[in-house]
Amino acid sequence: MGGSSGASFAPGLEGVVAAETRISGVDGEAGVLTLAGFPVEEISGRVTFEEIVYLLRHDELPDAGELAAFRTALAGRRGLPGATLELLRAAAARKVPEMDALRMAVDTSSLDLSDDPALDLVARFPVIVAVYHRLLRDEEPVAPDPSLGHAANYLYMLGGERPGEGSVRALETYLNAVSDHGMNASTFAARVVVATRSDLVSAIVGAVGALKGPLHGGAPGPALDVVFEIGSAENAEAVLREKLRRGERLMGFGHRIYRVRDPRADVLAAAAEHLFATNGDKELYDLALQVEKTALRLLEEHRPGRNLQTNVEFYTALLLHGLGLPTDLFTPTFAVGRVAGWTAHCLEQRAEDRLIRPQSEYVGATGRSWTLPEER
Ligand code: ACO
């Protein structure tokens, strides 16, 4: 349909290029995700999260000296304003869901920002999530440990114990793999806010709200629930068929951009396999593989030729479960990784300094005349 300007309407902005970015590129046909020049498979399992944050922001990996300084700068920003803690306590008393608590807490960051709000936010995300997680369980928060790296400190603040190296590596692989992904909904939301010359905290609050939805970052919990519901491989077909018959979507499958397997799924599958092989819960991993295989077969039957493939959320669920995280931490942990990309995009958009303002096509009534209320 043509609009008044001759521009055409693209539902869901599908196929519309809304920005030029050097932060990440997604080729949905070839199944390639590039993070600032590096294929996701090349870099995710090899670097620390601090290096990814630096890379997305500066377009190059830090050298040893730069990395040490950056680690210290991030670790030094883990303190939360007192009012943020008070808010989290009030939210926990009301059992507010994690993503809502994260959104509200991020908003309070404005109370105490340094001259680098992007770094403040990246540093504070895991602290907010971990503090809130403990408060929800009537446990006192654990103070951050500045000697620990970003990912290790997150696990430490969640569980109160220094994590093993394998767990830290698995978490970093995950955080790195999801750190950015082209013009996804939450990143777009953040860029739209910053493009009005609004502030970074407002943009990141919007991004958290967008990530929460089940069509974006809210899928991994439900994806794992389905694996548990299936319980053993022979039930997979019946359970999944019934879901499709009822018109439900299978969580962890399908993607707006990818028409082949999401490359992040492979990265996370390998990390999950490694983690499960070492922590002994191999049965669940094997069951998930069976569920995936059956789901892909049934989805091809359900939407022939649509190529509905495994997305990042399926193996996210498995990996985070292997790390001992409960399902309600899955989406907040996604946010802990993605805030690296959001903040880098905000800085890029700010430099671009171009208002994002698409058009709409009016499809309502025309030529109406006003009448008195008693005559309507
Ligand atoms: N299960 C069953 N059917 C599906 C699924 C699925 N997982 N995904 C798509 N379909 C169906 C759609 O209902 C649609 O059918 P219709 O034409 O009868 O309406 C058809 O396949 C084509 O859908 P697409 O156009 O490919 O999907 P779209 O781009 O609109 O949505 C999305 C992509 C939202 C990810 C979708 O595949 C979905 O809902 N998946 C399940 C939720 C999920 O895993 N979300 C995480 C996404 S990854 C991320 O954000 C990090």
Side-chain angles (χ1 to χ4, degrees), residues 135-183:
L135 289 174
L136 264 184
R137 278 155 189 73
D138 290 326
E139 293 168 344
E140 268 311 292
V142 172
D145 179 345
S147 74
L148 292 176
H150 192 81
N153 182 65
Y154 178 44
L155 291 175
Y156 170 66
M157 289 189 67
L158 283 171
E161 283 171 23
R162 283 175 162 254
E165 210 163 294
S167 298
V168 176
R169 192 73 294 245
L171 178 62
E172 290 199 306
T173 302
Y174 167 72
L175 296 175
N176 295 345
V178 301
S179 60
D180 199 49
H181 199 243
M183 203 45 49

mmCIF file of all heavy atoms in Angstrom, residues 135-183:
data_model
loop_
_atom_site.group_PDB
_atom_site.id
_atom_site.type_symbol
_atom_site.label_atom_id
_atom_site.label_comp_id
_atom_site.label_asym_id
_atom_site.label_seq_id
_atom_site.Cartn_x
_atom_site.Cartn_y
_atom_site.Cartn_z
ATOM 1 N N LEU A 135 16.919 -10.642 47.157
ATOM 2 C CA LEU A 135 15.863 -10.022 47.973
ATOM 3 C C LEU A 135 14.533 -10.765 47.800
ATOM 4 O O LEU A 135 13.793 -10.964 48.753
ATOM 5 C CB LEU A 135 15.693 -8.549 47.593
ATOM 6 C CG LEU A 135 16.842 -7.615 48.012
ATOM 7 C CD1 LEU A 135 16.609 -6.212 47.453
ATOM 8 C CD2 LEU A 135 16.989 -7.576 49.542
ATOM 9 N N LEU A 136 14.270 -11.201 46.571
ATOM 10 C CA LEU A 136 13.022 -11.931 46.316
ATOM 11 C C LEU A 136 12.958 -13.227 47.118
ATOM 12 O O LEU A 136 11.882 -13.735 47.405
ATOM 13 C CB LEU A 136 12.932 -12.296 44.834
ATOM 14 C CG LEU A 136 12.154 -11.384 43.900
ATOM 15 C CD1 LEU A 136 12.117 -11.991 42.505
ATOM 16 C CD2 LEU A 136 10.739 -11.101 44.385
ATOM 17 N N ARG A 137 14.133 -13.769 47.421
ATOM 18 C CA ARG A 137 14.184 -15.018 48.187
ATOM 19 C C ARG A 137 14.462 -14.759 49.666
ATOM 20 O O ARG A 137 14.935 -15.663 50.376
ATOM 21 C CB ARG A 137 15.279 -15.921 47.605
ATOM 22 C CG ARG A 137 14.778 -16.664 46.410
ATOM 23 C CD ARG A 137 15.850 -17.083 45.448
ATOM 24 N NE ARG A 137 15.204 -17.593 44.247
ATOM 25 C CZ ARG A 137 14.581 -16.821 43.340
ATOM 26 N NH1 ARG A 137 14.531 -15.510 43.494
ATOM 27 N NH2 ARG A 137 13.983 -17.351 42.297
ATOM 28 N N ASP A 138 14.223 -13.536 50.101
ATOM 29 C CA ASP A 138 14.468 -13.175 51.506
ATOM 30 C C ASP A 138 15.912 -13.394 51.922
ATOM 31 O O ASP A 138 16.198 -13.748 53.073
ATOM 32 C CB ASP A 138 13.534 -13.951 52.459
ATOM 33 C CG ASP A 138 12.111 -13.470 52.326
ATOM 34 O OD1 ASP A 138 11.913 -12.259 52.079
ATOM 35 O OD2 ASP A 138 11.191 -14.313 52.436
ATOM 36 N N GLU A 139 16.829 -13.231 50.980
ATOM 37 C CA GLU A 139 18.253 -13.331 51.307
ATOM 38 C C GLU A 139 18.865 -11.946 51.202
ATOM 39 O O GLU A 139 18.473 -11.154 50.341
ATOM 40 C CB GLU A 139 18.972 -14.273 50.334
ATOM 41 C CG GLU A 139 18.546 -15.723 50.469
ATOM 42 C CD GLU A 139 19.047 -16.587 49.312
ATOM 43 O OE1 GLU A 139 19.457 -16.035 48.269
ATOM 44 O OE2 GLU A 139 18.997 -17.803 49.443
ATOM 45 N N GLU A 140 19.841 -11.677 52.056
ATOM 46 C CA GLU A 140 20.513 -10.375 51.974
ATOM 47 C C GLU A 140 21.410 -10.324 50.739
ATOM 48 O O GLU A 140 22.023 -11.348 50.385
ATOM 49 C CB GLU A 140 21.356 -10.140 53.236
ATOM 50 C CG GLU A 140 20.608 -9.392 54.332
ATOM 51 C CD GLU A 140 19.902 -8.129 53.845
ATOM 52 O OE1 GLU A 140 20.602 -7.166 53.465
ATOM 53 O OE2 GLU A 140 18.648 -8.085 53.839
ATOM 54 N N PRO A 141 21.488 -9.177 50.081
ATOM 55 C CA PRO A 141 22.388 -9.071 48.924
ATOM 56 C C PRO A 141 23.835 -9.337 49.326
ATOM 57 O O PRO A 141 24.235 -9.103 50.464
ATOM 58 C CB PRO A 141 22.217 -7.616 48.478
ATOM 59 C CG PRO A 141 20.935 -7.155 49.073
ATOM 60 C CD PRO A 141 20.728 -7.941 50.331
ATOM 61 N N VAL A 142 24.593 -9.849 48.348
ATOM 62 C CA VAL A 142 26.030 -10.058 48.533
ATOM 63 C C VAL A 142 26.744 -8.847 47.938
ATOM 64 O O VAL A 142 26.410 -8.423 46.828
ATOM 65 C CB VAL A 142 26.473 -11.349 47.797
ATOM 66 C CG1 VAL A 142 27.978 -11.503 47.789
ATOM 67 C CG2 VAL A 142 25.790 -12.570 48.409
ATOM 68 N N ALA A 143 27.696 -8.292 48.664
ATOM 69 C CA ALA A 143 28.413 -7.118 48.139
ATOM 70 C C ALA A 143 29.283 -7.532 46.948
ATOM 71 O O ALA A 143 29.839 -8.636 46.944
ATOM 72 C CB ALA A 143 29.288 -6.514 49.224
ATOM 73 N N PRO A 144 29.391 -6.682 45.927
ATOM 74 C CA PRO A 144 30.245 -7.032 44.786
ATOM 75 C C PRO A 144 31.698 -7.202 45.220
ATOM 76 O O PRO A 144 32.136 -6.590 46.196
ATOM 77 C CB PRO A 144 30.097 -5.837 43.831
ATOM 78 C CG PRO A 144 29.421 -4.755 44.593
ATOM 79 C CD PRO A 144 28.740 -5.371 45.774
ATOM 80 N N ASP A 145 32.418 -8.053 44.493
ATOM 81 C CA ASP A 145 33.839 -8.275 44.778
ATOM 82 C C ASP A 145 34.645 -7.669 43.625
ATOM 83 O O ASP A 145 34.662 -8.222 42.522
ATOM 84 C CB ASP A 145 34.100 -9.784 44.894
ATOM 85 C CG ASP A 145 35.558 -10.092 45.153
ATOM 86 O OD1 ASP A 145 36.416 -9.191 44.968
ATOM 87 O OD2 ASP A 145 35.852 -11.243 45.533
ATOM 88 N N PRO A 146 35.327 -6.541 43.878
ATOM 89 C CA PRO A 146 36.026 -5.849 42.781
ATOM 90 C C PRO A 146 37.170 -6.655 42.187
ATOM 91 O O PRO A 146 37.638 -6.343 41.092
ATOM 92 C CB PRO A 146 36.537 -4.564 43.443
ATOM 93 C CG PRO A 146 36.441 -4.777 44.908
ATOM 94 C CD PRO A 146 35.440 -5.844 45.164
ATOM 95 N N SER A 147 37.609 -7.721 42.891
ATOM 96 C CA SER A 147 38.703 -8.515 42.321
ATOM 97 C C SER A 147 38.189 -9.473 41.252
ATOM 98 O O SER A 147 38.969 -10.055 40.497
ATOM 99 C CB SER A 147 39.421 -9.293 43.424
ATOM 100 O OG SER A 147 38.608 -10.378 43.843
ATOM 101 N N LEU A 148 36.859 -9.652 41.188
ATOM 102 C CA LEU A 148 36.291 -10.589 40.205
ATOM 103 C C LEU A 148 35.909 -9.855 38.930
ATOM 104 O O LEU A 148 35.497 -8.685 38.961
ATOM 105 C CB LEU A 148 35.042 -11.266 40.778
ATOM 106 C CG LEU A 148 35.256 -12.230 41.948
ATOM 107 C CD1 LEU A 148 33.912 -12.732 42.469
ATOM 108 C CD2 LEU A 148 36.121 -13.410 41.518
ATOM 109 N N GLY A 149 36.010 -10.564 37.803
ATOM 110 C CA GLY A 149 35.559 -10.014 36.532
ATOM 111 C C GLY A 149 34.040 -9.861 36.523
ATOM 112 O O GLY A 149 33.349 -10.321 37.450
ATOM 113 N N HIS A 150 33.542 -9.252 35.480
ATOM 114 C CA HIS A 150 32.124 -8.917 35.377
ATOM 115 C C HIS A 150 31.227 -10.164 35.521
ATOM 116 O O HIS A 150 30.299 -10.179 36.333
ATOM 117 C CB HIS A 150 31.906 -8.254 34.010
ATOM 118 C CG HIS A 150 30.597 -7.593 33.841
ATOM 119 N ND1 HIS A 150 30.320 -6.333 34.329
ATOM 120 C CD2 HIS A 150 29.466 -8.004 33.211
ATOM 121 C CE1 HIS A 150 29.077 -5.997 34.003
ATOM 122 N NE2 HIS A 150 28.546 -6.993 33.325
ATOM 123 N N ALA A 151 31.522 -11.199 34.738
ATOM 124 C CA ALA A 151 30.671 -12.398 34.744
ATOM 125 C C ALA A 151 30.826 -13.165 36.058
ATOM 126 O O ALA A 151 29.834 -13.616 36.642
ATOM 127 C CB ALA A 151 31.026 -13.296 33.562
ATOM 128 N N ALA A 152 32.066 -13.302 36.518
ATOM 129 C CA ALA A 152 32.305 -14.039 37.761
ATOM 130 C C ALA A 152 31.618 -13.342 38.934
ATOM 131 O O ALA A 152 31.013 -13.976 39.803
ATOM 132 C CB ALA A 152 33.807 -14.149 38.021
ATOM 133 N N ASN A 153 31.679 -12.011 38.934
ATOM 134 C CA ASN A 153 31.050 -11.264 40.020
ATOM 135 C C ASN A 153 29.533 -11.438 40.020
ATOM 136 O O ASN A 153 28.904 -11.500 41.076
ATOM 137 C CB ASN A 153 31.414 -9.782 39.924
ATOM 138 C CG ASN A 153 30.809 -8.989 41.063
ATOM 139 O OD1 ASN A 153 31.152 -9.193 42.229
ATOM 140 N ND2 ASN A 153 29.862 -8.115 40.744
ATOM 141 N N TYR A 154 28.961 -11.545 38.828
ATOM 142 C CA TYR A 154 27.495 -11.762 38.721
ATOM 143 C C TYR A 154 27.128 -13.089 39.392
ATOM 144 O O TYR A 154 26.229 -13.139 40.246
ATOM 145 C CB TYR A 154 27.097 -11.756 37.246
ATOM 146 C CG TYR A 154 25.633 -12.009 36.964
ATOM 147 C CD1 TYR A 154 24.627 -11.391 37.701
ATOM 148 C CD2 TYR A 154 25.240 -12.857 35.923
ATOM 149 C CE1 TYR A 154 23.280 -11.608 37.425
ATOM 150 C CE2 TYR A 154 23.899 -13.077 35.634
ATOM 151 C CZ TYR A 154 22.924 -12.454 36.384
ATOM 152 O OH TYR A 154 21.598 -12.665 36.099
ATOM 153 N N LEU A 155 27.856 -14.158 39.030
ATOM 154 C CA LEU A 155 27.556 -15.466 39.631
ATOM 155 C C LEU A 155 27.802 -15.428 41.135
ATOM 156 O O LEU A 155 27.044 -16.004 41.924
ATOM 157 C CB LEU A 155 28.411 -16.556 38.977
ATOM 158 C CG LEU A 155 28.060 -16.868 37.509
ATOM 159 C CD1 LEU A 155 29.041 -17.875 36.923
ATOM 160 C CD2 LEU A 155 26.627 -17.384 37.378
ATOM 161 N N TYR A 156 28.873 -14.718 41.543
ATOM 162 C CA TYR A 156 29.196 -14.609 42.964
ATOM 163 C C TYR A 156 28.075 -13.882 43.721
ATOM 164 O O TYR A 156 27.638 -14.310 44.793
ATOM 165 C CB TYR A 156 30.526 -13.859 43.112
ATOM 166 C CG TYR A 156 30.873 -13.474 44.528
ATOM 167 C CD1 TYR A 156 31.150 -14.441 45.494
ATOM 168 C CD2 TYR A 156 30.919 -12.122 44.893
ATOM 169 C CE1 TYR A 156 31.454 -14.076 46.790
ATOM 170 C CE2 TYR A 156 31.225 -11.751 46.193
ATOM 171 C CZ TYR A 156 31.489 -12.725 47.133
ATOM 172 O OH TYR A 156 31.789 -12.365 48.422
ATOM 173 N N MET A 157 27.589 -12.792 43.144
ATOM 174 C CA MET A 157 26.537 -12.028 43.830
ATOM 175 C C MET A 157 25.200 -12.770 43.849
ATOM 176 O O MET A 157 24.364 -12.545 44.726
ATOM 177 C CB MET A 157 26.362 -10.654 43.168
ATOM 178 C CG MET A 157 27.516 -9.712 43.438
ATOM 179 S SD MET A 157 27.176 -8.044 42.863
ATOM 180 C CE MET A 157 25.861 -7.559 43.986
ATOM 181 N N LEU A 158 25.004 -13.670 42.882
ATOM 182 C CA LEU A 158 23.769 -14.473 42.881
ATOM 183 C C LEU A 158 23.827 -15.564 43.944
ATOM 184 O O LEU A 158 22.900 -15.742 44.721
ATOM 185 C CB LEU A 158 23.563 -15.143 41.513
ATOM 186 C CG LEU A 158 23.036 -14.287 40.367
ATOM 187 C CD1 LEU A 158 23.111 -15.068 39.061
ATOM 188 C CD2 LEU A 158 21.613 -13.821 40.633
ATOM 189 N N GLY A 159 24.959 -16.280 43.958
ATOM 190 C CA GLY A 159 25.020 -17.485 44.785
ATOM 191 C C GLY A 159 25.785 -17.335 46.085
ATOM 192 O O GLY A 159 25.698 -18.193 46.961
ATOM 193 N N GLY A 160 26.581 -16.268 46.202
ATOM 194 C CA GLY A 160 27.343 -16.058 47.436
ATOM 195 C C GLY A 160 28.635 -16.854 47.495
ATOM 196 O O GLY A 160 29.330 -16.853 48.503
ATOM 197 N N GLU A 161 28.939 -17.597 46.414
ATOM 198 C CA GLU A 161 30.194 -18.353 46.392
ATOM 199 C C GLU A 161 30.958 -18.017 45.130
ATOM 200 O O GLU A 161 30.351 -17.773 44.087
ATOM 201 C CB GLU A 161 29.901 -19.861 46.380
ATOM 202 C CG GLU A 161 29.501 -20.389 47.717
ATOM 203 C CD GLU A 161 29.004 -21.818 47.624
ATOM 204 O OE1 GLU A 161 29.364 -22.518 46.649
ATOM 205 O OE2 GLU A 161 28.241 -22.210 48.522
ATOM 206 N N ARG A 162 32.302 -18.066 45.254
ATOM 207 C CA ARG A 162 33.114 -17.799 44.061
ATOM 208 C C ARG A 162 32.885 -18.914 43.047
ATOM 209 O O ARG A 162 33.040 -20.084 43.386
ATOM 210 C CB ARG A 162 34.593 -17.728 44.452
ATOM 211 C CG ARG A 162 34.914 -16.402 45.107
ATOM 212 C CD ARG A 162 36.340 -16.375 45.608
ATOM 213 N NE ARG A 162 36.707 -14.975 45.809
ATOM 214 C CZ ARG A 162 37.513 -14.298 45.011
ATOM 215 N NH1 ARG A 162 38.045 -14.869 43.967
ATOM 216 N NH2 ARG A 162 37.767 -13.029 45.254
ATOM 217 N N PRO A 163 32.505 -18.567 41.827
ATOM 218 C CA PRO A 163 32.194 -19.606 40.839
ATOM 219 C C PRO A 163 33.443 -20.264 40.278
ATOM 220 O O PRO A 163 34.525 -19.673 40.287
ATOM 221 C CB PRO A 163 31.476 -18.817 39.738
ATOM 222 C CG PRO A 163 32.027 -17.431 39.847
ATOM 223 C CD PRO A 163 32.351 -17.204 41.291
ATOM 224 N N GLY A 164 33.279 -21.480 39.760
ATOM 225 C CA GLY A 164 34.386 -22.178 39.101
ATOM 226 C C GLY A 164 34.657 -21.567 37.731
ATOM 227 O O GLY A 164 33.791 -20.887 37.156
ATOM 228 N N GLU A 165 35.851 -21.869 37.228
ATOM 229 C CA GLU A 165 36.250 -21.271 35.958
ATOM 230 C C GLU A 165 35.343 -21.705 34.802
ATOM 231 O O GLU A 165 35.019 -20.912 33.916
ATOM 232 C CB GLU A 165 37.691 -21.682 35.659
ATOM 233 C CG GLU A 165 38.427 -20.640 34.855
ATOM 234 C CD GLU A 165 39.918 -20.858 34.917
ATOM 235 O OE1 GLU A 165 40.490 -20.705 36.015
ATOM 236 O OE2 GLU A 165 40.469 -21.215 33.878
ATOM 237 N N GLY A 166 34.916 -22.992 34.839
ATOM 238 C CA GLY A 166 34.055 -23.518 33.765
ATOM 239 C C GLY A 166 32.751 -22.756 33.698
ATOM 240 O O GLY A 166 32.246 -22.438 32.606
ATOM 241 N N SER A 167 32.174 -22.449 34.864
ATOM 242 C CA SER A 167 30.901 -21.718 34.892
ATOM 243 C C SER A 167 31.091 -20.307 34.357
ATOM 244 O O SER A 167 30.259 -19.796 33.595
ATOM 245 C CB SER A 167 30.356 -21.630 36.320
ATOM 246 O OG SER A 167 30.094 -22.910 36.809
ATOM 247 N N VAL A 168 32.182 -19.679 34.756
ATOM 248 C CA VAL A 168 32.431 -18.300 34.303
ATOM 249 C C VAL A 168 32.597 -18.290 32.785
ATOM 250 O O VAL A 168 32.022 -17.447 32.075
ATOM 251 C CB VAL A 168 33.680 -17.713 34.987
ATOM 252 C CG1 VAL A 168 33.997 -16.331 34.442
ATOM 253 C CG2 VAL A 168 33.476 -17.652 36.499
ATOM 254 N N ARG A 169 33.357 -19.266 32.266
ATOM 255 C CA ARG A 169 33.589 -19.337 30.807
ATOM 256 C C ARG A 169 32.255 -19.531 30.071
ATOM 257 O O ARG A 169 31.974 -18.908 29.052
ATOM 258 C CB ARG A 169 34.544 -20.508 30.518
ATOM 259 C CG ARG A 169 35.124 -20.587 29.112
ATOM 260 C CD ARG A 169 36.163 -19.532 28.890
ATOM 261 N NE ARG A 169 35.549 -18.229 28.927
ATOM 262 C CZ ARG A 169 35.460 -17.369 27.923
ATOM 263 N NH1 ARG A 169 35.981 -17.610 26.850
ATOM 264 N NH2 ARG A 169 34.857 -16.221 28.006
ATOM 265 N N ALA A 170 31.407 -20.422 30.612
ATOM 266 C CA ALA A 170 30.117 -20.690 29.965
ATOM 267 C C ALA A 170 29.261 -19.427 29.974
ATOM 268 O O ALA A 170 28.631 -19.078 28.961
ATOM 269 C CB ALA A 170 29.398 -21.829 30.683
ATOM 270 N N LEU A 171 29.233 -18.733 31.103
ATOM 271 C CA LEU A 171 28.415 -17.520 31.175
ATOM 272 C C LEU A 171 28.952 -16.451 30.228
ATOM 273 O O LEU A 171 28.184 -15.759 29.546
ATOM 274 C CB LEU A 171 28.364 -16.986 32.614
ATOM 275 C CG LEU A 171 27.558 -15.691 32.787
ATOM 276 C CD1 LEU A 171 26.082 -15.902 32.405
ATOM 277 C CD2 LEU A 171 27.648 -15.154 34.212
ATOM 278 N N GLU A 172 30.267 -16.313 30.186
ATOM 279 C CA GLU A 172 30.840 -15.294 29.286
ATOM 280 C C GLU A 172 30.538 -15.618 27.828
ATOM 281 O O GLU A 172 30.240 -14.732 27.035
ATOM 282 C CB GLU A 172 32.353 -15.180 29.501
ATOM 283 C CG GLU A 172 32.667 -14.556 30.846
ATOM 284 C CD GLU A 172 34.074 -14.002 30.935
ATOM 285 O OE1 GLU A 172 34.997 -14.779 30.661
ATOM 286 O OE2 GLU A 172 34.217 -12.811 31.275
ATOM 287 N N THR A 173 30.604 -16.895 27.494
ATOM 288 C CA THR A 173 30.284 -17.299 26.119
ATOM 289 C C THR A 173 28.863 -16.851 25.789
ATOM 290 O O THR A 173 28.584 -16.313 24.716
ATOM 291 C CB THR A 173 30.411 -18.829 25.967
ATOM 292 O OG1 THR A 173 31.743 -19.191 26.329
ATOM 293 C CG2 THR A 173 30.119 -19.273 24.543
ATOM 294 N N TYR A 174 27.962 -17.066 26.743
ATOM 295 C CA TYR A 174 26.570 -16.656 26.537
ATOM 296 C C TYR A 174 26.447 -15.133 26.419
ATOM 297 O O TYR A 174 25.872 -14.618 25.455
ATOM 298 C CB TYR A 174 25.685 -17.179 27.686
ATOM 299 C CG TYR A 174 24.325 -16.531 27.669
ATOM 300 C CD1 TYR A 174 23.399 -16.861 26.694
ATOM 301 C CD2 TYR A 174 23.994 -15.535 28.592
ATOM 302 C CE1 TYR A 174 22.163 -16.225 26.631
ATOM 303 C CE2 TYR A 174 22.762 -14.900 28.541
ATOM 304 C CZ TYR A 174 21.858 -15.251 27.555
ATOM 305 O OH TYR A 174 20.654 -14.605 27.483
ATOM 306 N N LEU A 175 26.993 -14.422 27.397
ATOM 307 C CA LEU A 175 26.857 -12.954 27.400
ATOM 308 C C LEU A 175 27.450 -12.359 26.127
ATOM 309 O O LEU A 175 26.877 -11.435 25.528
ATOM 310 C CB LEU A 175 27.536 -12.343 28.629
ATOM 311 C CG LEU A 175 26.957 -12.711 30.000
ATOM 312 C CD1 LEU A 175 27.820 -12.121 31.110
ATOM 313 C CD2 LEU A 175 25.510 -12.238 30.147
ATOM 314 N N ASN A 176 28.587 -12.897 25.705
ATOM 315 C CA ASN A 176 29.226 -12.390 24.485
ATOM 316 C C ASN A 176 28.348 -12.672 23.261
ATOM 317 O O ASN A 176 28.188 -11.816 22.389
ATOM 318 C CB ASN A 176 30.598 -13.049 24.291
ATOM 319 C CG ASN A 176 31.583 -12.676 25.391
ATOM 320 O OD1 ASN A 176 31.353 -11.729 26.134
ATOM 321 N ND2 ASN A 176 32.680 -13.415 25.496
ATOM 322 N N ALA A 177 27.799 -13.894 23.223
ATOM 323 C CA ALA A 177 27.011 -14.289 22.037
ATOM 324 C C ALA A 177 25.753 -13.441 21.883
ATOM 325 O O ALA A 177 25.283 -13.232 20.769
ATOM 326 C CB ALA A 177 26.652 -15.772 22.115
ATOM 327 N N VAL A 178 25.198 -12.972 23.000
ATOM 328 C CA VAL A 178 23.948 -12.192 22.898
ATOM 329 C C VAL A 178 24.197 -10.688 23.067
ATOM 330 O O VAL A 178 23.244 -9.913 23.187
ATOM 331 C CB VAL A 178 22.875 -12.664 23.920
ATOM 332 C CG1 VAL A 178 22.532 -14.124 23.699
ATOM 333 C CG2 VAL A 178 23.287 -12.400 25.366
ATOM 334 N N SER A 179 25.468 -10.277 23.069
ATOM 335 C CA SER A 179 25.772 -8.872 23.375
ATOM 336 C C SER A 179 25.181 -7.891 22.370
ATOM 337 O O SER A 179 24.856 -6.753 22.722
ATOM 338 C CB SER A 179 27.291 -8.675 23.453
ATOM 339 O OG SER A 179 27.883 -9.017 22.206
ATOM 340 N N ASP A 180 25.033 -8.332 21.131
ATOM 341 C CA ASP A 180 24.404 -7.452 20.143
ATOM 342 C C ASP A 180 23.864 -8.279 18.993
ATOM 343 O O ASP A 180 24.360 -9.390 18.739
ATOM 344 C CB ASP A 180 25.394 -6.410 19.617
ATOM 345 C CG ASP A 180 24.643 -5.246 18.972
ATOM 346 O OD1 ASP A 180 23.702 -4.728 19.617
ATOM 347 O OD2 ASP A 180 24.948 -4.874 17.833
ATOM 348 N N HIS A 181 22.862 -7.750 18.308
ATOM 349 C CA HIS A 181 22.252 -8.518 17.219
ATOM 350 C C HIS A 181 21.492 -7.606 16.278
ATOM 351 O O HIS A 181 20.258 -7.649 16.182
ATOM 352 C CB HIS A 181 21.330 -9.595 17.816
ATOM 353 C CG HIS A 181 21.036 -10.692 16.848
ATOM 354 N ND1 HIS A 181 19.780 -10.963 16.378
ATOM 355 C CD2 HIS A 181 21.865 -11.564 16.236
ATOM 356 C CE1 HIS A 181 19.839 -11.967 15.526
ATOM 357 N NE2 HIS A 181 21.092 -12.349 15.421
ATOM 358 N N GLY A 182 22.236 -6.770 15.581
ATOM 359 C CA GLY A 182 21.611 -5.922 14.564
ATOM 360 C C GLY A 182 20.482 -5.064 15.125
ATOM 361 O O GLY A 182 20.507 -4.654 16.291
ATOM 362 N N MET A 183 19.500 -4.813 14.281
ATOM 363 C CA MET A 183 18.440 -3.873 14.670
ATOM 364 C C MET A 183 17.260 -4.617 15.291
ATOM 365 O O MET A 183 16.126 -4.519 14.837
ATOM 366 C CB MET A 183 18.018 -3.047 13.444
ATOM 367 C CG MET A 183 17.364 -1.721 13.765
ATOM 368 S SD MET A 183 18.150 -0.726 15.040
ATOM 369 C CE MET A 183 19.859 -0.715 14.534
#
